[in-house]
Each structure stands twice: as structure tokens, then as C-alpha cells.
């Protein structure tokens, strides 16, 4: 399953103030729709409306008005048809949306070599060109593939000349796999997170991308060497080793991509100074505090099989509004995970900032739209409900969990 015949789908490049129109024609045998993950656009009408479905053979024109002050960054699109999101995304339906601004075309960013790095892990087995179906265990644990792909390719090799700065927009488009990333051979810095540039560059060692998360990184290619970007299998669960199941993944280190640098040594200065002025919400007046409790519940009712996944005790119901918030206010949300697995919590339309986390892993100052909530832990975040009213969703970005109910409805008015 692809967009325009390729996986990932085409990279869409737009600027703040643009209007993006996309025609989705459904050539699948099942319903689908389109979500623009992370974009701060209206959730209504023909904009980022995930309550609309496109039947097989049908089509729909999506029309996104991107605010003139939209932060630049790396966003993405994928299907959002409840019940089949994991299947369709894992099968290859995902693509990048880049929002560029003038800083992208100014020094030093302009001198970098930009690449998109879409990470996925389809389960292919020995089949040719078919992504295999998932099991009940996948639904609980989250499906796992046979290895990591970069832009649909296994272990690509990138050859570059020394003296250049590589800039990678990395997206975790896997349905459920986490990517702890390590680069051996060069220094690297993170310059943007999900929804915007960071206030300043930070050392990227220790970078972990949960499903749905993005990071933009700079790699200083200063000397001739062969460097590898690697990942390890990170279990998201304390459930007796279930983390290694699914695609038959063991532990160990896997190569994501190889960077071969040739040429004379060049000393490249570390990126320094301010990248963006990020307004911190830590001093904002909080209108309301809320609690969200992520849990793995009993068996699913009514024809479902396997365990249900809940937020505040309920599974997703598109007819129910779980949270009503006021436009123009800032809210503080505490998301608690009482289950034995980590869950990446995601909110549509309105980006947030993470203030505190039970394990102390607070992301650097910048706008986020996915945050990992560790097993048995919590995160505290603040959301500014600006610019758009309307109804949309928040959910776990382990897409099998979302399909099994770990999603709620928010209406801002
Ligand atoms: Cu990336 Cu509601 O999704
Ligand atoms: Cu989203
Ligand atoms: Cu989850």
C-alpha cells in the first residue's frame, strides 16, 4: 500500500502562508483517509479532519491553509482510518511534509546537505513486495518488522566529501518500533524536534525516536572515515520479554545507514547560537489541569479479539467528546501510564511543550506533538489552544494500540 506508488510517498515542501491542496484517491480495497501529522491547521471541514473516511474507489480533496507564522520543520502524512491505521502505515503509507522558512535558505543551514530519513520496519518475511499481516500478539505488543528501512531501502550507503555538514530530517514512521539512534564516527547535533526548531542545537547522542516523532540533526563530516548510524531493539514493555517478539527480533545492534566520507580533514565548527525564539509555556497562565490515564484493559467487547487499550478507562468513540477546551487558553496535562509498556502520546493540531517527566527525560525546549510516556511513569505537558477551534483526537502512536481504542476526542471552542 503506497502513495503514488512509492514508499515513503512523495515529500511535500511548503512554506508558511501556503495553501496545500491534496487529492486523495482511494485505490485500496478498504476505507482510508489522510492526516497531516503535526501541522497546526484547522481540524474541520476539508482540512485535517480525521473523522472523514474515503471509501474504496472514492476521492476527496484536502485543503490545508498553513498559517503565515507556522514554525518550519518536519511533519508527515499518513492514513487515520480507525481500526486499520497500523496496517496501512506499516504497509508503506507515509510521507514527509517539510515546512521551510527563510532560515533554511540562510547560512549556515543553507550550506548543509539535506536529506529525509524515513525509518520503517515492514514485516516482509520471504514474500516479494507484500507486507505481511499481523497477529493478536502484534495488536498488544505492536507489530515489529524484519529490519529497519531508510526511505524504503535496507542499509543505504551515503558517500560524501569531507568539509560538509549533513542535515537529516529523521522520521519514525514505524507503526510501533522505537529507535534509539547512535552515530559512530562523527559528532552530531539535534536542531529541531517534532514541531519546530529547538531554541539552540543540542548534542544528539542518546537520541531516541518513538513512533511518530521527528528530529532534525546536523552531522559534521570533518574527516575521512566510514561512520554508521545504528539502532538497537528497545523493548517498550516489562511484560516478560514480549518486546523481542513479533518479527523475531533478537537484541543486538542493527545498521540503519552507512556514511562514507572521503577527502582531506577539515575542521568544522560546532553549530552554535540561537536557532529559533521559542516562547516557553512554563510561565504561562494555566486555565485548567487535566489527567489522562493510559491503561491496558480487559478483553475487547463486541467481536474484537484481544486486549483493549484505554485512556481514562474508555476506548475510542467518535461520537463522544472526552475533553472540551477553550480556544485561547493554555492547559496543563499530566499523562500517566499505568500499564507495563511505554506509550507515545500524541495530540493533533495544537503542539505542546513537555515540562517534566517521571524519568527526567525532558526534551529540549521546542514544540512537540509526540511524547513517550514510560511504563509506570508520567509526563507533564502544556498545550496552547491557539488559532483553531474544532474537534480532533489525541492517542497512543503505537498504531495497533490506537486501533484498539487508545484514543480520545477533544473539542476546542
Ligand atoms: Cu500520526 Cu493521529 O497521528
Ligand atoms: Cu497526528
Ligand atoms: Cu500504546
Amino acid at each position: 500500500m503506497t502513495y503514488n506508488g512509492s514508499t515513503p510517498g512523495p515529500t511535500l515542501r511548503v512554506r508558511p502562508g501556503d495553501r496545500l491542496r491534496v487529492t486523495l484517491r482511494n485505490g485500496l480495497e478498504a476505507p482510508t483517509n489522510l492526516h497531516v501529522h503535526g501541522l497546526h491547521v484547522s481540524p474541520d471541514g476539508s482540512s485535517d479532519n480525521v473523522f472523514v473516511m474515503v471509501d474504496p474507489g472514492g476521492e476527496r480533496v484536502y485543503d490545508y491553509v498553513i498559517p503565515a507564522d507556522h514554525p518550519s520543520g518536519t511533519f508527515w502524512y499518513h492514513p487515520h482510518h480507525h481500526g486499520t491505521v497500523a496496517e496501512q502505515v506499516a504497509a508503506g503509507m507515509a510521507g514527509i511534509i517539510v515546512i521551510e522558512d527563510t532560515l533554511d535558505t540562510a547560512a549556515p543551514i543553507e550550506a548543509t546537505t539535506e536529506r529525509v530519513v524515513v525509518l520503517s520496519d515492514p514485516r516482509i518475511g520471504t514474500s516479494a513486495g507484500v507486507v505481511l499481516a499481523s497477529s493478536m500478539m502484534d495488536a498488544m505488543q505492536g507489530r515489529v518488522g524484519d529490519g529497519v528501512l531508510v526511505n524504503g531501502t535496507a542499509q543505504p550507503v551515503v558517500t560524501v566529501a569531507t568539509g560538509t555538514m549533513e542535515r537529516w530530517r529523521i522520521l519514525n514512521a514505524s507503526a510501533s518500533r522505537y529507535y534509539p539512534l547512535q552515530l559512530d564516527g562523527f559528532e552530531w547535533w539535534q536542531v529541531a524536534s517534532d514541531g519546530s526548531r529547538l531554541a539552540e542545537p543540542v548534542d544528539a547522542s542518546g537520541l531516541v525516536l518513538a513512533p511518530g516523532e521527528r528530529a532534525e540533526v546536523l552531522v559534521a563530516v570533518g574527516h575521512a572515515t566510514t561512520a554508521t548510524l545504528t539502532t538497537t531493539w528497545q523493548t517498550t514493555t516489562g511484560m516478560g520479554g514480549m518486546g523481542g517478539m513479533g518479527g523475531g527480533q533478537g537484541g543486538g545492534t542493527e545498521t540503519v545507514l552507512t556514511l562514507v566520507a572521503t577527502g582531506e580533514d577539515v575542521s568544522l565548527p560546532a553549530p552554535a547560537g540561537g536557532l529559533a525564539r521559542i516562547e516557553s509555556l512554563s510561565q504561562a497562565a494555566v486555565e485548567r489541569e487535566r489527567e489522562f490515564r493510559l491503561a491496558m484493559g480487559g478483553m475487547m467487547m463486541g467481536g474484537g479479539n484481544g486486549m483493549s487499550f484505554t485512556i481514562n478507562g474508555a476506548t475510542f468513540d467518535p461520537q463522544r467528546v472526552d475533553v472540551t477546551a477553550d480556544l485561547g487558553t493554555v492547559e496543563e496535562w499530566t499523562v500517566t501510564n499505568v500499564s507495563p509498556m511505554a506509550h507515545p502520546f500524541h495530540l493533533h493540531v495544537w503542539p505542546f511543550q513537555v515540562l517534566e517527566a517521571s524519568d527526567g527525560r525532558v526534551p529540549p525546549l521546542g514544540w512537540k506533538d509526540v511524547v513517550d510516556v514510560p511504563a509506570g511513569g508520567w509526563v507533564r505537558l502544556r498545550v496552547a489552544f491557539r488559532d483553531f477551534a474544532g474537534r480532533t483526537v489525541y492517542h497512543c502512536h503505537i498504531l495497533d494500540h490506537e486501533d484498539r481504542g487508545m484514543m480520545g476526542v477533544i473539542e476546542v471552542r
Side-chain angles (χ1 to χ4, degrees), residues 136-182:
M136 161 100 99
M137 185 63 86
D138 290 333
M140 290 167 28
Q141 169 61 31
R143 62 193 70 205
V144 182
D146 299 309
V148 185
L149 301 185
V150 174
N151 303 333
T153 301
Q155 305 190 347
V157 177
V158 180
T159 305
V160 298
T162 55
T164 56
M165 190 73 95
E166 287 276 308
R167 178 160 62 116
W168 301 339
R169 298 175 180 274
I170 311 173
L171 159 67
N172 181 352
S174 277
S176 60
R177 183 169 175 173
Y178 283 62
Y179 294 103
L181 293 171
Q182 199 177 326

Side-chain angles (χ1 to χ4, degrees), residues 28-359:
L28 307 176
E29 275 151 27
T32 190
N33 64 4
L34 192 69
H35 167 48
V36 284
H37 179 132
L39 286 196
H40 180 56
V41 295
S42 167
D44 280 343
S46 51
S47 186
D48 190 24
N49 184 344
V50 292
F51 296 100
V52 155
M53 296 307 151
V54 181
D55 285 327
E59 78 173 51
R60 181 175 175 86
V61 178
Y62 289 88
D63 194 345
Y64 309 102
V65 176
I66 297 159
D69 61 353
H70 197 295
S72 66
T74 309
F75 305 88
W76 63 301
Y77 58 90
H78 64 78
H80 219 285
H81 176 262
H82 181 63
T84 57
V85 180
E87 182 192 345
Q88 293 183 357
V89 172
M93 295 175 75
I96 295 241
I97 302 171
V98 171
I99 298 201
E100 293 176 333
D101 71 6
T102 47
L103 210 104
D104 291 308
T105 52
I109 299 275
E110 156 286 321
T112 61
T113 306
E114 190 211 307
R115 304 179 201 272
V116 298
V117 176
V118 178
L119 302 178
S120 66
D121 68 327
R123 185 187 297 173
I124 304 164
T126 53
S127 65
V130 178
V131 175
L132 303 176
S134 69
S135 63
M136 161 100 99
M137 185 63 86
D138 290 333
M140 290 167 28
Q141 169 61 31
R143 62 193 70 205
V144 182
D146 299 309
V148 185
L149 301 185
V150 174
N151 303 333
T153 301
Q155 305 190 347
V157 177
V158 180
T159 305
V160 298
T162 55
T164 56
M165 190 73 95
E166 287 276 308
R167 178 160 62 116
W168 301 339
R169 298 175 180 274
I170 311 173
L171 159 67
N172 181 352
S174 277
S176 60
R177 183 169 175 173
Y178 283 62
Y179 294 103
L181 293 171
Q182 199 177 326
L183 181 68
D184 290 323
F186 294 116
E187 285 189 281
W188 63 331
W189 300 269
Q190 185 181 355
V191 294
S193 60
D194 300 338
S196 72
R197 278 195 196 87
L198 301 179
E200 49 192 44
V202 298
D203 179 10
S205 47
L207 183 65
V208 180
L209 291 182
E213 280 190 306
R214 288 87 67 206
E216 192 177 332
V217 297
L218 296 180
V219 179
V221 183
H223 57 276
T225 191
T226 297
T228 48
L229 180 68
T230 57
T231 191
T232 46
W233 174 256
Q234 172 169 310
T235 65
T236 60
T237 171
M239 291 174 70
M242 271 172 63
M245 298 183 65
Q249 293 284 339
T253 300
E254 281 174 77
T255 297
V256 176
L257 66 80
T258 304
L259 190 61
V260 178
T262 53
E264 306 279 290
D265 288 6
V266 181
S267 89
L268 288 165
L275 294 165
R277 209 162 336 124
I278 306 287
E279 169 208 354
S280 166
L281 294 181
S282 64
Q283 303 306 319
V286 170
E287 175 82 7
R288 183 154 183 176
E289 294 175 13
R290 295 181 202 269
E291 308 270 345
F292 295 85
R293 195 166 176 273
L294 311 179
M296 291 161 66
M299 303 312 273
M300 295 234 305
M301 308 304 275
N305 57 351
M307 213 182 272
S308 67
F309 290 79
T310 59
I311 301 181
N312 290 342
T315 53
F316 176 62
D317 178 353
Q319 308 304 330
R320 186 185 68 224
V321 174
D322 299 284
V323 168
T324 307
D326 294 321
L327 186 62
T329 63
V330 172
E331 295 198 356
E332 183 169 297
W333 291 6
T334 302
V335 186
T336 303
N337 180 356
V338 299
S339 83
M341 282 183 77
H343 299 283
F345 183 81
H346 170 52
L347 171 66
H348 289 204
V349 180
W350 305 277
F352 54 75
Q353 290 176 5
V354 180
L355 299 188
E356 244 187 305
S358 57
D359 61 2

